[in-house]
Amino acid sequence: MTTAPWVVHKFGGTSVASAQRYRDVAAIVEREPGARKAVVVSAMARVTDALIALTELARARDESYVARLAELVERHVEAARELLPEPAYLALTAVLRADAADIADVLRAIWLARTCSEELTELVSGYGEIWSAQMLGAHLGAAGRNARWLDARKVLVVRPGETGPVVDWSASRALLMAWLASEPADELVITGFVAQTPEGVPTTLKRNGSDFSASIFGSLLDASAVTIWTDVDGVLSADPRRVPEAVVLDEMSYDEAMELAYFGAKVLHPRTMAPCVAQAIPIWIRNTFNPTHPGTRIHRAEPAKAGAPSVKGFSTVDGIALINVEGTGMMGVPGVAQRIFGSLRAVSVSVVMISQASSEHSVCFAVPEAQAAMAHATVERAFASEVHRGQIERVDVVLGCSVLAAVGERMADTPGVAARLFGSLSKAGINVRAIAQGSSERNISLVVDRADSTRALRAVHAGFYLSDQVISVGVVGPGLVGRALLAQLEAQAPLLRSRFKLDLRVRAIASSTRMVLGDPSLAADAWEGGGSTVPTELDALAEHIRPSHLPHAVIIDCSASDAVAERYAGWLDRGIHVITPNKRAGAGPLERYRAIKERAQARRTRFFYEATVGAGLPVITTLRDLIQTGDRVTRIEGVLSGTLSYVFNSYTGGTSFSEVVKQAKALGYTEPDPRDDLAGTDVARKLVILGREMDLAMELDAVAVQSLVPEALRGADVEAFMTGLADFDAPMAAALEEARAAGEVLRYVGVIEADGRASASLRRYPLAHPFARVGASDNILAFTTARYHAQPLIVQGPGAGPEVTAGGVFADLLRLASSVG
């Protein structure tokens, strides 16, 4: 027998739920390094609850406890039959049936007395671990391994304490050493959960008892490590049910683990870790069902490694109420906090967190919602005289809250952690009701509305790059631009996720008549038939786009619909960002435009519309940069329509004007109705958008517009217009010949002056002018400003086409992603 250090392994109920699971556990223990191994086991899955239920049935005189006990024993007999060779099986089943007879006697006594003491419940509930340890021990012995099973009730002595059982370390160590001397083995299988009192009465370690047992025996055996085998790969950075992108942490300190556990994370309970913490024994959290994964190491804090994250994880506690005690009579008065929290302690109200301003004018604290009414009444009684005199103005209760905690050792020496935390919440539209941070700066806790808790958790988790930043996307208008955008999004998605941790999820696509909704996202071909559609309901689309669990949502309007633009203010007010190449909002009624801007500012949502002027060109961005840096714009002049740029670049006399227009429509350069381009309406709208960026209170009818649509065709449908346009080729041909004779070219140009005068008309420019040298569907704009007065600032490039416009919209989407973190 070796004297090498012990290594402790603990397996929970799901890890020993069947005969095959016992085999898996035995194989894991055999593969793990270490010459001496102690294996602490729980009862088979759900057995402890079933044993406790038997005592409750007996106390209620429900005789079904007899059959249920038999079923429970039979479950263990079947597992033993499958797991063990016949001699070991017969020996174990004899023990099982003898124990069952003892349990039946206890339950019969409970049935007769109609009462059940805590001691009897603990006696009965401990049998699951006893049977489980014997099962695994017998299996190891049958495999020829030097293994023994240990009933912890023979060596582990505990007494009651205020916060749970307290270990008698001296007595327990002496009993364990004596047992080991008489029963030498290289592998111990130890019952978790159970112990004895100093009087020798069987008892349990209560909640989380099996984990506590592992930590206790790790200490008693001076183990080199304790591994807790469970059903997850390790400690996760957040609850994976709320944050599917949560990551397994490689390591964390004891303090970080305790902070996360206190706030509900699936980590060891702080009390269960205490014995290991006292002796600096590292604890590993690993997965029984994925034993090759290294898991998470929990250990004494060490100097941070380069690049280690400042925040390790986030956790939430729901079902919280916030109580605020406020009044001038509290300022500078000693003992106020003691009176508040002393009165709450007297009625056993648990305080989750406390927040107090330095002015001492108010004290805010969080309690479980179930205790809110009692806490409120208790505090009002404690300060009844101050309330009567007006020194305490109010004791308010806010229900439906959650506590969100950020935990990390390096938060204390990393500047900007709080800024990033609250910035992430602000960008997700989350209101913070209360804040608390200890002087160690290892934990920042805050209270949010419960309805926002999942969205808040995902926002901060992504904000610290622990997971991808998820943006829920809805696309309205799957026409040429919309489809091009969807294709671009799908093509770039892998790169954006891998390099920039940005997850753009297209979760809705809608036309004016039908829509398709998806979760978590839709493929680019979903609109073409890959998904089932329903009638378009923009309210339902908005509801789907902004679910409670996703922090950021955007609707991209690629339509030309005024009815959709009418929805922008409402969407922004709901916390949904809006991106659009649709000019109806920017050039529509001034009152609506101002409402959209006001809602975006008030709700801190984003309204991006760069592609409304110049498609993918940085026109609006350039104009804003000029204005915001103090330049004074005196005039903007330019070929603002990619459609008309293409038309007049292509109209050189070899092809008729009507044929050139047909070509432009076929290439997707025109609006669905080309008259929107030829009438100058599109250019006029762009001038209004630019004018409003210049802080001009412009309406569309303020633009003097020359229409190129023959009056006789203005009321026709699109098809009739396209057919009839050929009848009016002659006037345009004459204008072209007149310009060519003068050495000039025709260009449809928009002009806006600093005083608000604006026009859109067909003009002639000499061949040396920059406007004459544009090609294809280029836009070109000349900004004349106080700085650029001798020579205008020129912005030029493609200004039409679905790919270019979609690219401009995509760029706005990436700007949104940057702005939200």
Side-chain angles (χ1 to χ4, degrees):
M1 172 155 170
T2 180
T3 58
W6 287 94
V7 178
V8 174
H9 297 271
K10 181 265 174 178
F11 292 89
T14 56
S15 299
V16 291
S18 65
Q20 183 56 48
R21 297 280 170 84
Y22 281 104
R23 293 191 188 96
D24 294 340
V25 166
I28 289 171
V29 173
E30 186 173 25
R31 286 194 301 266
E32 287 297 303
R36 293 201 295 177
K37 302 167 186 175
V39 184
V40 177
V41 291
S42 296
M44 293 176 72
R46 298 184 298 278
V47 167
T48 301
D49 288 341
L51 288 165
I52 293 172
L54 294 180
T55 65
E56 294 170 350
L57 290 170
R59 183 173 55 184
R61 290 212 165 183
D62 184 340
E63 295 191 356
S64 66
Y65 77 82
V66 176
R68 296 210 185 171
L69 174 59
E71 292 170 2
L72 203 55
V73 172
E74 193 57 32
R75 176 183 171 189
H76 287 79
V77 169
E78 286 300 318
R81 180 181 292 114
E82 184 180 341
L83 181 67
L84 303 173
E86 187 171 358
Y89 160 70
L90 293 175
L92 180 57
T93 53
V95 171
L96 290 172
R97 299 197 188 283
D99 287 345
D102 290 342
I103 295 171
D105 289 342
V106 174
L107 295 174
R108 178 62 178 172
I110 294 171
W111 187 88
L112 290 169
R114 295 191 181 185
T115 186
C116 181
S117 67
E118 184 178 354
E119 289 79 6
L120 289 179
T121 299
E122 294 195 329
L123 172 64
V124 172
S125 64
Y127 273 99
E129 275 72 15
I130 294 167
W131 294 340
S132 183
Q134 291 179 86
M135 187 95 67
L136 180 59
H139 175 61
L140 296 177
R145 290 155 70 168
N146 183 19
R148 300 286 186 275
W149 84 277
L150 168 60
D151 183 348
R153 296 179 300 182
K154 294 181 178 180
V155 300
L156 181 55
V157 181
V158 300
R159 55 181 172 78
E162 282 194 18
T163 59
V166 177
V167 179
D168 185 330
W169 292 102
S170 177
S172 299
R173 191 178 298 274
L175 289 169
L176 178 60
M177 292 304 107
W179 190 94
L180 288 173
S182 64
E183 298 279 350
D186 294 327
E187 290 182 324
L188 294 181
V189 181
I190 307 172
T191 55
F193 184 57
V194 296
Q196 64 164 307
T197 68
E199 296 75 29
V201 177
T203 187
T204 68
L205 298 178
K206 312 298 189 291
R207 182 171 173 262
N208 300 295
S210 292
D211 288 346
F212 194 16
S213 295
S215 187
I216 291 169
F217 279 99
S219 177
L220 291 173
L221 293 167
D222 295 317
S224 60
V226 172
T227 300
I228 307 296
W229 294 88
T230 179
D231 56 359
V232 293
D233 286 337
V235 180
L236 293 163
S237 55
D239 184 344
R241 294 168 298 182
R242 294 187 172 199
V243 185
E245 304 85 10
V247 296
V248 176
L249 303 174
D250 295 332
E251 61 177 352
M252 61 195 315
S253 71
Y254 295 126
D255 289 327
E256 288 172 330
M258 288 181 183
E259 292 280 3
L260 282 174
Y262 178 76
F263 286 99
K266 192 174 183 180
V267 191
L268 289 172
H269 190 278
R271 181 173 64 89
T272 70
M273 285 189 280
C276 286
V277 173
Q279 292 184 222
I281 300 171
I283 302 170
W284 290 84
I285 308 296
R286 296 179 64 185
N287 191 347
T288 309
F289 310 105
N290 186 20
T292 59
H293 195 286
T296 302
R297 177 174 174 252
I298 304 173
H299 56 91
R300 179 176 288 172
E302 299 170 350
K305 298 177 182 177
S310 56
V311 174
K312 283 289 181 67
F314 299 90
S315 196
T316 55
V317 180
D318 292 331
I320 294 295
L322 197 61
I323 299 180
N324 186 54
V325 184
E326 186 175 321
T328 55
M330 298 168 57
M331 299 173 65
V333 177
V336 170
Q338 188 279 329
R339 289 174 63 188
I340 293 174
F341 300 112
S343 65
L344 294 173
R345 181 182 184 279
V347 294
S348 300
V349 170
S350 175
V351 177
V352 177
M353 63 169 274
I354 304 168
S355 177
Q356 181 177 14
S358 59
S359 67
E360 301 182 4
H361 181 256
S362 67
V363 176
C364 180
F365 58 92
V367 301
E369 199 167 57
Q371 296 183 311
M374 180 183 294
H376 180 253
T378 300
V379 173
E380 283 197 326
R381 281 197 304 271
F383 290 91
S385 59
E386 286 85 353
V387 172
H388 179 70
R389 293 194 300 269
Q391 293 173 310
I392 298 295
E393 296 166 13
R394 61 178 63 88
V395 180
D396 293 330
V397 179
V398 180
L399 301 175
C401 297
S402 296
V403 173
L404 170 65
V407 173
E409 288 281 355
R410 291 194 59 225
M411 289 165 57
D413 55 12
T414 305
V417 170
R420 182 181 291 185
L421 178 68
F422 294 109
S424 298
L425 292 170
S426 173
K427 290 167 183 174
I430 307 294
N431 181 45
V432 177
R433 292 186 172 273
I435 305 163
Q437 180 176 11
S439 59
S440 70
E441 299 186 47
R442 190 180 296 118
N443 177 312
I444 300 177
S445 301
L446 46 92
V447 177
V448 299
D449 290 338
R450 182 166 50 203
D452 295 332
S453 64
T454 298
R455 189 153 45 92
L457 183 61
R458 295 186 74 147
V460 296
H461 194 270
F464 283 85
Y465 308 108
L466 298 177
S467 64
D468 294 348
Q469 181 69 273
V470 178
I471 299 180
S472 175
V473 179
V475 176
V476 177
L480 293 176
V481 173
R483 286 198 294 272
L485 174 63
L486 291 170
Q488 290 175 10
L489 287 172
E490 186 165 71
Q492 280 298 102
L495 176 66
L496 292 174
R497 279 195 295 268
S498 63
R499 290 188 59 185
F500 304 105
K501 296 184 74 67
L502 177 60
D503 184 359
L504 301 175
R505 298 183 182 178
V506 178
R507 302 180 70 249
I509 305 170
S511 70
S512 60
T513 58
R514 64 188 181 99
M515 65 181 182
V516 57
L517 307 179
D519 187 30
S521 61
L522 295 166
D525 64 354
W527 183 255
E528 307 301 333
S532 57
T533 63
V534 295
T536 295
E537 270 291 340
L538 292 180
D539 287 338
L541 181 143
E543 190 73 25
H544 181 77
I545 285 299
R546 195 176 191 274
S548 61
H549 65 281
L550 294 181
H552 306 293
V554 58
I555 293 179
I556 302 175
D557 175 22
C558 294
S559 75
S561 168
D562 192 68
V564 177
E566 191 69 36
R567 299 281 188 139
Y568 290 1
W571 288 339
L572 292 164
D573 198 43
R574 293 178 62 174
I576 301 173
H577 307 284
V578 175
I579 296 173
T580 186
N582 182 356
K583 293 171 280 293
R584 302 286 179 152
L590 183 60
E591 183 178 352
R592 182 176 71 186
Y593 172 80
R594 286 174 170 167
I596 291 170
K597 289 284 195 173
E598 186 274 331
R599 284 294 82 204
Q601 184 175 12
R603 290 283 288 138
R604 294 192 173 187
T605 39
R606 300 287 181 151
F607 175 42
F608 288 106
Y609 47 95
E610 180 70 71
T612 57
V613 181
L617 296 178
V619 174
I620 293 174
T621 301
T622 300
L623 178 56
R624 285 178 181 166
D625 288 346
L626 291 170
I627 294 170
Q628 290 173 7
T629 57
D631 203 354
R632 182 173 58 85
V633 179
T634 57
R635 176 186 175 93
I636 302 174
E637 179 182 14
V639 177
L640 295 170
S641 168
T643 302
L644 296 180
S645 177
Y646 173 84
V647 166
F648 287 104
N649 279 319
S650 303
Y651 184 45
T652 58
T655 305
S656 69
F657 182 74
S658 59
E659 284 300 318
V660 171
V661 172
K662 288 179 182 178
Q663 291 172 11
K665 187 175 188 302
L667 291 170
Y669 288 154
T670 72
E671 296 288 341
D673 185 345
R675 283 171 294 188
D676 284 347
D677 301 293
L678 295 176
T681 306
D682 181 62
V683 174
R685 288 187 178 121
K686 293 174 181 177
L687 290 173
V688 171
I689 291 169
L690 293 174
R692 289 173 178 176
E693 289 295 318
M694 295 165 63
D695 206 25
L696 298 172
M698 289 184 65
E699 294 281 10
L700 187 59
D701 58 11
V703 183
V705 180
Q706 177 188 357
S707 175
L708 303 183
V709 179
E711 187 171 353
L713 298 178
R714 292 177 187 176
D717 60 31
V718 176
E719 186 177 348
F721 164 74
M722 295 301 296
T723 303
L725 185 60
D727 297 337
F728 298 90
D729 280 336
M732 194 60 70
L736 176 63
E737 285 302 317
E738 186 177 337
R740 292 174 68 175
E744 296 175 333
V745 296
L746 295 176
R747 295 291 182 264
Y748 196 91
V749 173
V751 180
I752 184 167
E753 309 283 353
D755 61 5
R757 288 177 296 140
S759 64
S761 59
L762 190 62
R763 299 189 177 200
R764 289 162 35 179
Y765 290 88
L767 296 177
H769 194 279
F771 287 9
R773 298 196 297 269
V774 295
S777 61
D778 278 6
N779 277 188
I780 184 169
L781 288 92
F783 293 89
T784 304
T785 72
R787 294 174 189 156
Y788 298 94
H789 57 88
Q791 182 177 352
L793 172 66
I794 300 293
V795 174
Q796 180 180 354
E803 297 291 336
V804 171
T805 304
V809 174
F810 199 165
D812 269 349
L813 181 56
L814 295 180
R815 290 187 189 98
L816 170 64
S818 177
S819 72
V820 300

